[in-house]
Amino acid sequence: GAPLTAAAGAAAAAAPTESATPSQAAAGPGLAQAQQREQRTAHVADFLDAMLTLVSTLVQSTAGCQVLTDAGVLQALLPLLQDKSPEHLGVVATTVKVMELYMDFSQSASTIFRDLNGLQEMIKRLAYEVGLEGTKAASAPSQAPSTPPTSLFDADIAPSPSPPPSGPPHSAPTAAVAQAAAAGAEGAKASKPPPLAYSRKVLIKFLLRAVAISSYAPTSGVASRPQDADATLLYRCLRAMFEQAERFGGSLFALAAGVVTDLLHHEPLSYRALEAEGLPAAFIVAIKVGVLPFGEALISIPNTIVALCLNTHGLELVRTSRVMDCLVPIFTQKQYLKALGGETPAALGAGIEELFRFTPALRPEGMDAVVNVFRALCIIGGDVEEVQKAEAAMASWKQLQERLEQDKAAAAARAA
């Protein structure tokens, strides 16, 4: 079989062109040539769409996979990843989906894909779509979970440090509970960055899934792991998706979290490499600032936390950041009502139960968060005693903030 790209070119050359109308001729040859080019482009797109539909059907059977392997279909499809025209995003997305199905059905296809440096090309295209522009992306230093990157988050939405616990456990609601209750009663209103185009989101989704299948699938061998440079670029892509979660949306956030989860479960020792690129901290910051109100994003949280806790440094990061407090707004704010519909509560609850079972060290923080959820609901319902406790906690929190500001000013004065 001839490569698809060569066939597409032949189809474009052989595509019939309509003769120019008198009005077009009067407008000049330039307009007629432009319209002819548009017609040829449309013919090429239709031809490629039909060919990819046929290939996507063949990859779902053993005999079809064998035919495609003999015809060298991967060698024909990989050059399409270099097509970065915005008008061809749909064709490229379909191409990536076909390769994903092909590798998922046939292990030999995964071997051929790696031999052709397909994984490297996939990661480079993912970096381009995310906005890192391939190897030109620069790795910013890791940020602590309590201090999000100032270039990505405005000061008014940055997470405030939690006050130190005082008194016996569950004795009084924290300031975070009171804030969540107030937000749940009044509703959250925050400006959102413009999201990506739907076609670009679809392409990024297929790219992530293809990279995951060819790299971290249970059936993959050790040789399928990305090279160090490619893995570093992939980590930067995932970090960018966490840092700009609202721009990419909840579905891509959940898919990126799933890639991190699969990686850590398959290679727990890779946590150091992820930490060097600031990936765990970026995930923690993303959910502390405010989890996207999407069911998939909510369900991915406990699973990713479990994966992070497989490493002692990851467990320490999760505990010191008090990331479990993110459960309070999820179950008390109005913006999450739609996201918690359907099967999401059951799946989220099962994930939290699994988190407590496999990570006993997080049970105290987790139980505090669960109790605080009920306290916040009591505050929303108007319980006088809980409201008074919340007001006292808010006052203590404000005093703590004032002391922190004073200490910061004093440190700056000494440094000057």
Side-chain angles (χ1 to χ4, degrees), residues 36-337:
Q36 290 177 1
R37 285 196 298 269
E38 292 179 359
Q39 293 172 1
R40 287 196 296 269
T41 302
H43 284 300
V44 171
D46 292 341
F47 173 80
L48 286 178
D49 184 65
M51 290 293 294
L52 292 173
T53 301
L54 173 62
V55 173
S56 64
T57 303
L58 292 175
V59 298
Q60 300 180 33
S61 65
T62 304
C65 286
Q66 185 60 45
V67 171
L68 294 176
T69 301
D70 295 339
V73 66
L74 283 178
Q75 291 89 329
L77 293 177
L78 279 176
L80 294 178
L81 292 176
Q82 306 295 333
D83 187 354
K84 298 179 181 178
S85 173
E87 300 176 355
H88 300 161
L89 285 177
V91 173
V92 178
T94 305
T95 302
V96 176
K97 182 180 179 181
V98 169
M99 287 191 285
E100 173 203 342
L101 294 173
Y102 191 18
M103 291 184 291
D104 192 25
F105 194 88
S106 173
Q107 293 186 5
S108 61
S110 299
T111 304
I112 298 174
F113 181 77
R114 293 192 301 271
D115 294 340
L116 296 173
N117 294 326
L119 180 58
Q120 182 182 24
E121 295 299 326
M122 284 274 191
I123 295 176
K124 287 183 178 179
R125 184 57 190 258
L126 176 62
Y128 175 82
E129 297 299 332
V130 170
L132 300 183
E133 297 183 356
T135 57
K136 294 182 180 180
S139 176
S142 302
Q143 301 279 347
S146 59
T147 308
T150 55
S151 61
L152 297 173
F153 302 104
D154 296 332
D156 57 341
I157 64 172
S160 301
S162 302
S166 58
H170 318 311
S171 60
T174 62
V177 178
Q179 290 178 328
E186 299 177 1
K189 295 182 180 180
S191 59
K192 298 181 179 179
L196 291 176
Y198 176 76
S199 57
R200 195 170 298 276
K201 285 185 177 181
V202 172
L203 176 55
I204 294 175
K205 175 183 177 181
F206 290 147
L207 286 170
L208 277 175
R209 291 175 56 177
V211 169
I213 288 177
S214 60
S215 303
Y216 310 118
T219 56
S220 300
V222 177
S224 66
R225 299 298 166 263
Q227 300 295 327
D228 292 341
D230 298 331
T232 299
L233 184 58
L234 175 61
Y235 301 157
R236 294 175 184 174
C237 294
L238 297 174
R239 175 183 172 178
M241 297 176 70
F242 289 148
E243 291 176 337
Q244 306 176 53
E246 291 193 15
R247 179 169 175 258
F248 289 96
S251 179
L252 291 179
F253 178 90
L255 191 55
V259 173
V260 174
T261 302
D262 293 340
L263 170 62
L264 289 174
H265 278 297
H266 199 86
E267 297 180 1
L269 297 179
S270 63
Y271 179 86
R272 288 303 183 94
L274 299 179
E275 186 179 34
E277 295 300 327
L279 193 54
F283 174 79
I284 295 296
V285 169
I287 59 179
K288 281 179 66 68
V289 169
V291 186
L292 294 174
F294 292 88
E296 296 176 355
L298 300 181
I299 295 173
S300 68
I301 292 174
N303 299 329
T304 307
I305 293 178
V306 169
L308 292 176
C309 292
L310 294 176
N311 185 277
T312 55
H313 293 277
L315 176 60
E316 184 64 21
L317 173 64
V318 171
R319 296 196 66 181
T320 55
S321 64
R322 295 193 61 84
V323 70
M324 298 302 299
D325 290 341
C326 73
L327 296 176
V328 179
I330 289 176
F331 289 106
T332 57
Q333 291 186 5
K334 290 182 179 179
Q335 60 178 336
Y336 293 102
L337 286 178

Side-chain angles (χ1 to χ4, degrees), residues 170 172-186 325-334 367-391:
H170 318 311
T174 62
V177 178
Q179 290 178 328
E186 299 177 1
D325 290 341
C326 73
L327 296 176
V328 179
I330 289 176
F331 289 106
T332 57
Q333 291 186 5
K334 290 182 179 179
M367 291 307 302
D368 285 344
V370 172
V371 172
N372 287 338
V373 168
F374 287 102
R375 283 175 170 165
L377 294 176
C378 291
I379 294 173
I380 295 174
D383 184 272
V384 177
E385 181 180 358
E386 292 296 335
V387 169
Q388 292 176 350
K389 292 180 180 179
E391 291 176 349

